[in-house]
Amino acid sequence: MATFELYRRSTIGMCLTETLDEMVQNGTLSPEIAIQVLVQFDKSMTEALETQVKSKVSIKGHLHTYRFCDNVWTFILQDALFKNEDNQENVGRVKIVACDSKLLSQ
Amino acid sequence: MAASTTSQVYIDVIEDVMVKVRDEFVNTGASPGDEVLRELQAIWESKCIQAGAVLGPIERNTGVNRPMPGGPITPVHDLNVPYEGTEEYETPTAEILFPPTPLQTPIQTPLPGPGETPNYNIPTGPSDYSSGNDAGGNADVKGGRQAFMPPPSPWMNMNQRPPLDVNVAYVEGRDEADRGASNQPMTQDFFTMTGGKRKRNDLPPPYDAGGYIPQQDGAGDAVSGDFEIEVCGGSISFNSQHTNSKGKMPADLERLASRIPQLDGPIPYEDDVLSTPNIYNYGGVFNEDYNIANTPAPPEVPASTPALVAQNEAVNEDEDDEPLNEDDDDDLDDLDQEDDQDTNHLVLAQFDKVTRTKSRWKCTLKDGIMHINKKDILFNKATGEFDF
């Protein structure tokens, strides 16, 4: 199963990365196992998003920058408005990084 | 997306990872073992709780602990640092206060430039002068000045009173040199002032028209020796000059002539008198003038003096580079700051489709993690509509 390393930049992914870094620094973990954990996280996170999350969001805003490189879209929005069923959030600037979903199915 | 939902998903992910990695930890000969795996899970969970991403199952996290937020805060401080730049602005303002120096310059101007000699000779001049000022270019000049800058008013004041002393000193010196008799210093001063004003008045239009010539025309007329012409010109000061000193005419003419050239080019540099009017003119039109004649810029200081506002603007223009740079930096920094701000507000997702019609972008995303306003929000699908 193909996975994206994309989600490692999320809060939970960063926490895992920090943890693994510390443990590798300590010599508690080998770098190889640490990488295996990260790969497993990629899979688990992707799967969890597919299976457990059902919510929908709409995003509007001024597109300050767009970039498509290596099948990754990057948008930088200004004065963005995020809406979902529960509430909405305003953000002065937000970055959106999106990988091609079709790559996962390959 | 309640935080609890996100938290639950995160907890499930952690559990899932732990379960699926367990073999690696336990089965391999060199494997770290189960305890290490638990340690990993414990640290990971604690970090997530600290980050506020996971609501502690046991410990309801305060939610306030936000390492991530901390990151954003730091950038904020950085932003504050730039504000220091604002302080810099303030500093300039202080300098603006200095403008008084320029004020002096204006005063000097009146002294030398104004048809000093003629004014002196004519006692009646004052009345004419006053009338002339009222009726004549003063309105125009004042209006223009006021519109452009507040400072002019100070200058006006200077002309009316404080300048008097200085003028007198100058007047006396020259008067004595030129003419032995200067009975009415006050009047003379006023005349001088008026003369200066008129010149200024005349000057502004000429600038617009593209020529000091008109102002100097008065002088030129004087050179020709046509008293009538001067009178027609309506420049009382000039008339007085002619009437007063025919014999001096050449000298005056020479002065005028010399001044004229100065006015065009050197205004800022040499001619105090001319420079003053010019400066004012600059102040009035400052934006255009500066742009056009940045070279003459040296006069900038005087220009700044005339009007505080003008100074500010002038200074800004001079210093515009800094402010502009800062602004530019913001724009440029956007890219740099992106990274910093990415941490603050970030959306990680997969895209199904991205389309653009003219400047309108639409995209459909799925399986995303958003970190917005210190909250983690998960979504299955997202639609984006952006205006570029």
Side-chain angles (χ1 to χ4, degrees):
Chain A
M1 174 182 175
T3 58
F4 292 130
E5 298 179 1
L6 177 73
Y7 301 121
R8 294 181 190 178
R9 296 174 63 180
S10 65
T11 305
I12 185 176
M14 294 297 290
C15 290
L16 175 59
T17 302
E18 289 177 9
T19 303
L20 293 174
D21 279 346
E22 292 175 3
M23 297 182 76
V24 169
Q25 294 286 335
N26 294 340
T28 310
L29 282 183
S30 67
E32 293 76 13
I33 269 202
I35 291 173
Q36 286 181 334
V37 174
L38 280 175
V39 170
Q40 182 57 50
F41 166 77
D42 296 336
K43 296 178 183 177
S44 297
M45 189 72 237
T46 303
E47 182 179 342
L49 286 171
E50 290 176 351
T51 60
Q52 297 189 39
V53 178
K54 300 299 179 188
S55 62
K56 294 181 180 175
V57 175
S58 75
I59 308 170
K60 293 184 179 179
H62 173 69
L63 182 59
H64 179 274
T65 304
Y66 59 86
R67 184 186 310 143
F68 184 64
C69 185
D70 293 340
N71 288 311
V72 176
W73 271 108
T74 301
F75 301 106
I76 295 173
L77 301 184
Q78 288 178 332
D79 299 329
L81 176 64
F82 292 80
K83 281 185 185 176
N84 62 19
E85 306 83 30
D86 297 336
N87 58 5
Q88 65 182 40
E89 300 278 353
N90 273 299
V91 177
R93 172 184 290 267
V94 61
K95 185 176 187 177
I96 299 174
V97 180
C99 298
D100 191 342
S101 63
K102 289 189 290 293
L103 294 178
L104 271 192
S105 58
Q106 289 178 351
Chain B
M1 291 304 296
S4 60
T5 306
T6 300
S7 175
Q8 188 56 51
V9 173
Y10 280 0
I11 291 172
D12 291 346
V13 169
I14 293 173
E15 287 292 335
D16 192 49
V17 171
M18 290 300 122
V19 169
K20 292 180 178 173
V21 171
R22 194 162 193 279
D23 289 346
E24 300 295 335
F25 278 73
V26 176
N27 293 339
T28 305
S31 62
D34 200 27
E35 287 189 3
V36 174
L37 183 59
R38 286 192 206 127
E39 180 183 356
L40 170 61
Q41 180 173 359
I43 297 175
W44 186 9
E45 288 179 349
S46 69
K47 284 181 179 293
C48 288
I49 292 171
Q50 280 186 336
V54 170
L55 304 177
I58 298 173
E59 299 174 356
R60 291 289 172 181
N61 81 339
T62 56
V64 177
N65 296 340
R66 300 167 183 172
M68 297 300 288
I73 293 171
T74 307
V76 174
H77 291 293
D78 292 346
L79 293 178
N80 290 341
V81 174
Y83 285 95
E84 294 177 354
T86 307
E87 294 178 355
E88 292 178 357
Y89 285 101
E90 293 177 356
T91 311
T93 52
E95 293 176 355
I96 293 165
L97 297 178
F98 286 94
T101 316
L103 292 178
Q104 294 176 349
T105 310
I107 296 168
Q108 293 175 348
T109 344
L111 296 178
E116 323 85 343
T117 49
N119 292 337
Y120 291 105
N121 294 339
I122 302 167
T124 55
S127 64
D128 292 347
Y129 158 81
S130 63
S131 65
N133 290 341
D134 295 346
N138 288 346
D140 295 347
V141 173
K142 288 180 179 177
R145 289 179 183 175
Q146 290 175 349
F148 289 100
M149 332 172 159
S153 64
W155 179 80
M156 294 301 289
N157 294 339
M158 292 299 292
N159 292 339
Q160 292 175 348
R161 295 179 182 177
L164 293 178
D165 296 343
V166 176
N167 292 340
V168 172
Y170 283 95
V171 171
E172 291 178 355
R174 289 193 178 181
D175 289 349
E176 292 175 355
D178 295 347
R179 304 171 183 175
S182 63
N183 293 339
Q184 299 173 344
M186 295 301 289
T187 347
Q188 291 174 350
D189 293 345
F190 284 101
F191 278 104
T192 305
M193 294 306 290
T194 55
K197 289 180 180 178
R198 284 192 175 180
K199 287 182 179 179
R200 293 177 182 175
N201 295 337
D202 294 347
L203 292 177
Y207 275 107
D208 295 345
Y212 290 89
I213 298 169
Q215 296 176 344
Q216 294 178 350
D217 287 351
D221 292 346
V223 173
S224 64
D226 292 348
F227 294 95
E228 293 176 354
I229 293 168
E230 293 175 354
V231 174
C232 293
S235 64
I236 298 168
S237 63
F238 286 100
N239 293 340
S240 66
Q241 293 176 350
H242 295 290
T243 56
N244 291 339
S245 62
K246 292 180 181 177
K248 292 179 179 177
M249 289 301 292
D252 294 346
L253 294 176
E254 290 176 355
R255 291 180 181 175
L256 294 176
S258 64
R259 292 176 183 173
I260 293 166
Q262 292 175 345
L263 291 177
D264 292 347
I267 294 167
Y269 297 95
E270 296 176 354
D271 291 353
D272 294 346
V273 175
L274 296 179
S275 64
T276 324
N278 292 339
I279 294 167
Y280 286 100
N281 294 340
Y282 283 103
V285 189
F286 52 87
N287 291 338
E288 295 177 356
D289 291 348
Y290 280 105
N291 294 339
I292 295 171
N294 287 339
T295 320
E300 291 173 353
V301 175
S304 64
T305 20
L308 297 178
V309 175
Q311 291 176 347
N312 293 341
E313 293 176 353
V315 172
N316 290 341
E317 290 182 353
D318 294 345
E319 296 177 354
D320 274 352
D321 293 345
E322 294 180 355
L324 290 177
N325 288 340
E326 291 179 356
D327 293 343
D328 292 345
D329 289 347
D330 291 345
D331 294 343
L332 296 177
D333 287 350
D334 289 349
L335 297 178
D336 295 342
Q337 292 177 350
E338 289 174 6
D339 294 340
D340 293 341
Q341 295 181 351
D342 290 348
T343 312
N344 300 343
H345 308 292
L346 180 63
V347 176
L348 306 169
Q350 303 171 32
F351 70 85
D352 283 334
K353 187 169 63 176
V354 176
T355 60
R356 177 187 65 84
T357 302
K358 292 184 178 178
S359 65
R360 188 160 188 82
W361 291 71
K362 291 185 180 180
C363 63
T364 55
L365 308 175
K366 73 172 192 179
D367 297 346
I369 302 175
M370 302 191 297
H371 185 72
I372 292 176
N373 293 335
K374 301 176 180 178
K375 291 184 293 187
D376 274 22
I377 300 173
L378 310 182
F379 63 80
N380 180 42
K381 285 189 177 180
T383 58
E385 294 182 2
F386 317 136
D387 289 324
F388 180 70

